[in-house]
C-alpha cells in the first residue's frame, strides 16, 4: 500500500494540471461552440460500477439524447466510467472543453462510492466546500447535521459550484432541491426518475441554440445488403446536409429495414426522403403507421365496412362489443388482457368501439304530419354533414328539449335497425330495404316518391310542406375515462411480457386491474376490489378448450363469481 502512494500522488498531480489547463480554456471561451457560431453540442458521462458490471441498465443516456435533440443539441459522445475519482476527473477534463454542455449522471449521495462532486472539483483544480444553501436544505430534511456525517457529503460541492433550481412543468412549482453545475458541467443524479424530473425542470439551460432537427423514417421490405449500394450513393451525394442511418429489424412482420433521415433543414430532409423512396426497389417501401391507437376508431370501422373477409369478421366482433355496451356502461366493463395476440387484438377493437360509443349523439326526428318519431345515432367518427342535412331541411328545435314518449318511439342504439314502418336509416350506411327507407348523408338515395333533394345533393326525409321538429343530445358525454383492463398475473412471468404490458398500458392509457392466482380466485378478488365491474370482454375462440357451447354473451358458470362474459372473437 505504501509503495502505491507515490504513483497515486503523481496521478493526482497530473489530473490537477489537466484541470488547470481546462480552467484556462474555459476562461478563454473555447469550451462553447455557440460562441463561435456553431450548433450546441453535448457529451454525456455515465458514472457507476453498476453499469459496467451489468447490475443496472442505463436508461439515462437514452433519455438525455432524446431530450437534448428536441432542444437542438447534438450529442457527440457517451462515456461510461467506474466510481473512481481519477478516472472521472480525467474524463471531465477531457470532455468539458470539447462541447457546449457536459452532463454527468450518477455518483451523488452519502456513500463511499459517491465521488462525482470531488472528481469534478479535481478536474478543475478546485477544492470542496460546504455550500450554505445546501447545508440549510439538509437541515430542513434531516434536522441538525453533523459536519462529519455521511449526510453532509451531499452539501460538499466544488468551490465554483452554482445551484440551479428547476420548475416542475406540470405544477409550475419550484423544485426543492437544486441541480449543481460547475462551469459547463451539469451534475445530475443517477436515479432515472430524479434525473428525468431535474432535466425536464431545467431544459431551458440547454435550449436557445436556434437549431431544430428534422427526422423522417422510411420502412423497407428488402434485405439491407440489397439496398446498401443505393444508400451509399445517396449519402455521398448529400454529404453533411442529411444523415442517413440504416437499421435492420428481424422481428417486424411489415418491414426488414428502417431508414432514418436527419437534417437541420426541413426542405433537405423532405427532398432526401423523396429521393430515397424513388431510388429503392419498386414496391419495397412500406407505409407503416407509427401510432395506430390515435386512429383506431376510424381505421377499425373503415375495415368493418370494407366488405373483405377480415372486415366481415371485424364487423361481427364490433357488433358483439356494441351489444355489451348497450347492456353495461363503460364503467361496468373491462377487457381481459394477458399479452397474447388474441386479447391484444380484442383490446384494440374494444378501444375503437368504446371511443366511438362515448362520442355518440342521439338525433331525434319528429314528423308532425305522420306523427312518427325516429332516432338517428351520430357517432363522433362520422361526418358532421348530418347536422347540415337537418339544418338545410328547415327543422327547428322541440320546445321541451326532451323526446316525447310516443308508442312510435324507436331507439336505434347498435348500428342495426328494427324492421318497422317508422324506420329511419342510421348514419352507419347500413339499412334494411323497407319501403319508408330514407337515405343517409353518406350513402346513395333510393328512388322513392317521398324524398326531395337538398342543395347539397343529399336527401331529406320530409316531403314538401311537412313540418319536422328535431333536437339532439349526447348519449354519453365526451369522456376521458380510461379503458379498464383485467390482467391475471401468473407467477414469474417472462420479462418480455412485463415490458410489453407496461408499453401497452402507456399506449392505450389503461386503467389496469392486476391480480394473481387462478382465474376463479382472481375474479373473486376483483369482485372485492372493483365491485362496479359486471362484464368482462374475453379473447376466447370457438376452437379453445371448453368453448364450443359459448355464445357472444353468456354468464359465468355456476359456482363462479357472477360476471357476464362477452366473447367478440368466437
Amino acid at each position: 500500500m505504501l509503495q502505491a502512494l507515490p504513483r497515486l500522488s503523481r496521478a493526482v498531480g497530473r489530473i490537477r494540471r489537466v484541470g488547470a489547463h481546462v480552467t484556462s480554456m474555459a476562461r478563454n471561451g473555447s469550451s462553447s461552440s455557440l460562441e463561435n457560431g456553431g450548433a450546441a453540442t453535448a457529451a454525456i458521462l455515465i458514472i457507476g460500477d453498476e453499469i459496467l458490471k451489468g447490475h443496472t441498465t442505463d436508461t439515462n443516456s437514452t433519455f438525455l439524447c432524446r431530450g437534448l435533440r428536441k432542444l437542438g443539441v447534438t450529442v457527440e459522445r457517451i462515456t461510461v466510467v467506474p466510481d473512481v475519482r481519477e478516472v472521472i476527473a480525467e474524463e471531465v477534463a477531457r470532455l468539458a472543453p470539447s462541447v457546449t454542455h457536459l452532463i454527468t449522471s450518477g455518483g451523488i449521495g452519502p456513500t463511499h462510492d459517491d465521488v462525482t462532486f470531488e472528481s469534478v472539483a479535481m478536474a478543475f483544480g478546485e477544492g470542496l466546500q460546504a455550500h450554505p444553501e445546501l447545508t440549510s436544505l439538509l437541515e430542513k430534511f434531516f434536522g441538525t447535521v453533523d459536519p462529519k456525517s455521511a449526510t453532509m457529503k451531499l452539501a460538499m460541492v466544488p468551490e465554483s459550484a452554482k445551484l440551479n433550481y428547476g420548475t416542475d412543468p406540470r405544477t409550475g412549482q419550484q423544485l426543492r432541491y437544486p441541480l449543481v453545475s460547475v462551469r459547463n458541467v451539469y451534475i445530475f443524479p443517477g436515479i432515472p426518475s430524479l434525473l428525468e424530473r431535474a432535466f425536464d425542470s431545467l431544459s431551458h439551460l440547454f435550449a436557445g441554440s436556434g437549431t431544430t432537427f428534422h427526422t423522417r423514417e422510411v420502412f423497407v421490405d428488402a434485405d439491407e445488403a440489397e439496398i446498401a449500394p443505393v444508400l451509399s450513393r445517396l449519402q455521398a451525394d448529400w454529404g453533411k446536409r442529411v444523415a442517413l442511418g440504416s437499421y435492420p429489424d428481424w422481428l417486424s412482420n411489415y418491414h426488414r429495414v428502417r431508414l432514418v433521415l436527419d437534417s437541420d433543414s426541413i426542405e433537405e430532409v423532405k427532398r432526401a426522403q423523396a429521393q430515397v423512396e424513388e431510388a429503392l426497389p419498386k414496391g419495397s417501401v412500406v407505409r407503416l403507421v407509427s401510432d395506430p391507437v390515435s386512429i383506431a376508431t376510424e381505421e377499425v370501422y373503415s375495415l368493418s365496412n370494407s366488405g373483405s373477409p377480415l372486415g366481415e369478421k371485424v364487423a361481427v366482433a364490433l357488433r358483439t362489443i356494441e351489444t355489451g355496451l348497450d347492456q353495461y356502461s363503460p364503467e361496468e366493463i373491462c377487457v381481459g388482457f394477458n399479452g397474447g395476440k388474441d386479447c391484444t387484438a380484442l383490446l384494440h377493437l374494444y378501444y375503437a368501439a368504446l371511443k366511438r360509443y362515448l362520442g355518440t349523439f342521439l338525433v331525434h326526428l319528429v314528423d308532425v304530419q305522420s306523427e312518427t318519431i325516429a332516432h338517428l345515432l351520430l357517432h363522433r367518427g362520422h361526418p358532421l354533414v348530418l347536422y347540415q342535412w337537418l339544418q338545410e331541411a328547415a327543422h327547428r328545435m322541440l320546445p321541451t328539449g326532451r323526446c316525447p314518449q310516443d308508442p312510435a318511439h324507436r331507439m336505434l342504439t347498435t348500428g342495426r335497425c328494427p324492421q318497422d314502418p317508422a324506420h329511419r336509416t342510421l348514419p352507419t350506411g347500413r339499412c334494411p330495404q323497407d319501403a319508408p327507407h330514407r337515405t343517409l348523408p353518406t350513402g346513395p338515395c333510393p328512388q322513392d316518391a317521398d324524398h326531395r333533394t337538398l342543395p347539397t345533393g343529399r336527401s331529406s326525409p320530409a316531403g314538401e310542406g311537412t313540418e319536422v321538429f328535431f333536437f339532439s343530445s349526447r348519449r354519453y358525454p365526451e369522456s376521458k375515462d380510461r379503458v379498464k383492463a383485467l390482467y391475471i398475473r401468473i407467477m414469474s412471468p417472462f420479462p418480455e411480457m412485463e415490458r410489453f404490458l407496461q408499453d401497452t398500458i402507456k399506449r392505450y392509457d389503461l386503467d389496469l386491474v392486476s391480480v394473481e392466482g387462478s382465474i376463479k380466485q382472481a375474479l373473486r378478488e376483483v369482485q372485492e376490489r372493483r365491485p362496479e365491474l359486471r362484464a368482462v370482454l374475453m379473447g376466447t375462440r370457438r376452437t379453445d378448450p371448453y368453448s364450443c357451447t359459448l355464445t357472444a354473451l353468456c354468464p359465468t358458470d355456476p359456482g363462479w363469481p357472477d360476471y357476464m362474459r362477452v366473447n367478440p372473437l368466437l
Side-chain angles (χ1 to χ4, degrees):
M1 181 67 181
L2 292 176
Q3 293 174 348
L5 286 177
R7 292 197 300 273
L8 180 60
S9 178
R10 287 194 296 273
V12 172
R14 184 172 67 253
I15 294 300
R16 284 178 174 168
R17 288 194 297 274
V18 173
H21 178 60
V22 172
T23 304
S24 175
M25 294 176 65
R27 287 172 179 167
N28 292 330
S30 59
S31 64
S32 174
S33 58
L34 284 179
E35 293 180 5
N36 297 323
T41 59
I44 298 170
L45 183 60
I46 305 297
I47 300 167
D49 291 345
E50 67 275 17
I51 303 296
L52 293 172
K53 293 176 180 178
H55 297 330
T56 302
T57 300
D58 169 36
T59 60
N60 289 337
S61 57
T62 302
F63 172 83
L64 289 169
C65 284
R66 290 173 178 168
L68 289 167
R69 189 161 186 81
K70 289 179 181 178
L71 297 172
V73 180
T74 299
V75 176
E76 295 189 339
R77 187 179 300 272
I78 300 173
T79 303
V80 183
V81 294
D83 297 310
V84 178
R85 293 178 183 84
E86 293 75 23
V87 175
I88 299 169
E90 188 171 1
E91 284 299 314
V92 170
R94 184 173 64 87
L95 293 172
S98 66
V99 292
T100 314
H101 313 291
L102 173 58
I103 294 178
T104 72
S105 165
I108 302 174
T111 61
H112 66 283
D113 55 353
D114 293 316
V115 295
T116 300
F117 284 149
E118 50 198 291
S119 301
V120 173
M122 183 184 296
F124 288 107
E126 299 182 8
L128 292 177
Q129 67 175 9
H131 197 289
E133 281 189 51
L134 293 178
T135 302
S136 177
L137 283 171
L138 291 178
E139 290 176 348
K140 288 181 181 178
F141 285 130
F142 302 106
T144 303
V145 179
D146 186 340
K148 296 181 179 180
S149 68
T151 303
M152 193 62 188
K153 193 174 181 180
L154 294 168
M156 301 297 295
V157 295
E159 293 169 346
S160 64
K162 178 183 177 182
L163 305 186
N164 305 276
Y165 287 90
T167 301
D168 189 327
R170 295 169 298 179
T171 64
Q173 299 296 316
Q174 180 178 287
L175 299 186
R176 291 190 296 174
Y177 204 84
L179 179 81
V180 176
S181 64
V182 180
R183 296 174 171 79
N184 68 328
V185 181
Y186 297 87
I187 306 170
F188 281 83
I191 298 173
S193 60
L194 297 181
L195 178 141
E196 292 171 13
R197 188 183 185 198
F199 183 86
D200 289 340
S201 70
L202 292 165
S203 59
H204 63 277
L205 294 177
F206 312 103
S209 69
T211 301
T212 302
F213 293 111
H214 305 277
T215 301
R216 293 291 185 275
E217 292 181 323
V218 178
F219 297 91
V220 187
D221 187 17
D223 290 330
E224 192 176 32
E226 179 185 353
I227 63 175
V230 173
L231 304 182
S232 298
R233 174 175 57 81
L234 290 172
Q235 184 64 85
D237 293 343
W238 298 330
K240 294 184 178 180
R241 301 191 311 275
V242 179
L244 172 60
S246 176
Y247 311 102
D249 189 338
W250 296 341
L251 301 179
S252 173
N253 294 325
Y254 305 100
H255 66 280
R256 284 177 275 176
V257 181
R258 179 172 66 100
L259 303 178
V260 180
L261 299 159
D262 279 304
S263 177
D264 58 4
S265 167
I266 185 65
E267 292 78 14
E268 290 283 0
V269 79
K270 284 182 177 179
R271 188 181 303 114
Q273 180 181 5
Q275 291 174 347
V276 167
E277 294 178 352
E278 177 67 25
L280 289 171
K282 187 176 181 180
S284 65
V285 176
V286 178
R287 302 299 178 188
L288 193 67
V289 177
S290 58
D291 182 18
V293 176
S294 64
I295 58 174
T297 299
E298 178 184 353
E299 293 295 318
V300 165
Y301 277 89
S302 176
L303 176 60
S304 72
N305 290 322
S306 66
S308 67
L310 176 60
E312 291 177 358
K313 293 180 180 179
V314 169
V316 172
L318 290 173
R319 285 198 292 270
T320 300
I321 293 171
E322 290 167 349
T323 300
L325 285 168
D326 284 339
Q327 298 186 21
Y328 301 94
S329 72
E331 289 72 28
E332 296 174 319
I333 301 180
C334 67
V335 55
F337 183 76
N338 64 6
K341 62 181 185 301
D342 289 341
C343 64
T344 302
L346 175 59
L347 171 62
H348 195 69
L349 292 176
Y350 178 60
Y351 182 91
L354 182 62
K355 293 304 177 184
R356 181 176 187 262
Y357 205 73
L358 290 173
T360 298
F361 288 92
L362 183 59
V363 180
H364 314 266
L365 300 176
V366 183
D367 187 331
V368 177
Q369 272 193 356
S370 60
E371 296 183 351
T372 57
I373 303 172
H375 303 269
L376 307 183
L377 280 184
L378 173 66
H379 297 283
R380 181 173 52 194
H382 285 270
L384 292 181
V385 70
L386 182 59
Y387 278 139
Q388 299 171 1
W389 176 74
L390 292 169
Q391 291 167 354
E392 289 165 349
H395 298 157
R396 62 186 178 85
M397 293 288 255
L398 277 177
T400 61
R402 293 190 298 274
C403 178
Q405 297 301 311
D406 187 286
H409 175 104
R410 295 292 182 271
M411 179 78 73
L412 305 182
T413 57
T414 62
R416 296 184 299 278
C417 180
Q419 303 290 329
D420 70 295
H423 166 76
R424 295 295 184 274
T425 196
L426 296 179
T428 58
R430 295 190 299 275
C431 171
Q433 296 301 312
D434 59 340
H437 173 91
R438 298 296 182 268
T439 193
L440 289 182
T442 57
C445 177
Q447 297 302 311
D448 63 7
D450 252 349
H451 85 274
R452 61 186 176 88
T453 302
L454 296 176
T456 59
R458 301 184 180 90
S459 292
S460 161
E464 294 292 347
T466 300
E467 187 176 17
V468 178
F469 297 106
F470 84 97
F471 66 95
S472 64
S473 59
R474 271 196 193 278
R475 181 169 175 196
Y476 290 104
E478 193 74 43
S479 175
K480 294 183 179 179
D481 288 346
R482 299 156 67 193
V483 172
K484 294 174 176 59
L486 170 61
Y487 173 47
I488 301 178
R489 189 176 185 272
I490 63 173
M491 300 303 293
S492 303
F494 294 112
E496 294 81 3
M497 173 60 231
E498 290 293 294
R499 284 196 294 270
F500 176 70
L501 176 66
Q502 294 304 316
D503 290 343
T504 304
I505 291 173
K506 293 180 181 178
R507 188 174 296 119
Y508 290 91
D509 190 26
L510 297 180
D511 175 9
L512 190 74
V513 183
S514 180
V515 291
E516 294 185 359
S518 66
I519 297 178
K520 182 183 289 188
Q521 178 183 355
L523 290 177
R524 286 200 178 101
E525 183 177 342
V526 172
Q527 276 189 323
E528 295 178 1
R529 288 170 49 187
R530 303 294 288 269
E532 75 277 8
L533 294 176
R534 297 174 56 203
V536 181
L537 284 94
M538 305 181 69
T540 308
R541 292 181 178 272
R542 183 74 67 196
T543 53
D544 291 344
Y546 313 109
S547 302
C548 58
T549 60
L550 289 179
T551 57
L553 275 77
C554 58
T556 49
D557 296 334
W560 281 67
D562 186 19
Y563 284 101
M564 179 62 72
R565 292 176 288 179
V566 183
N567 303 303
L569 305 185
L570 286 177

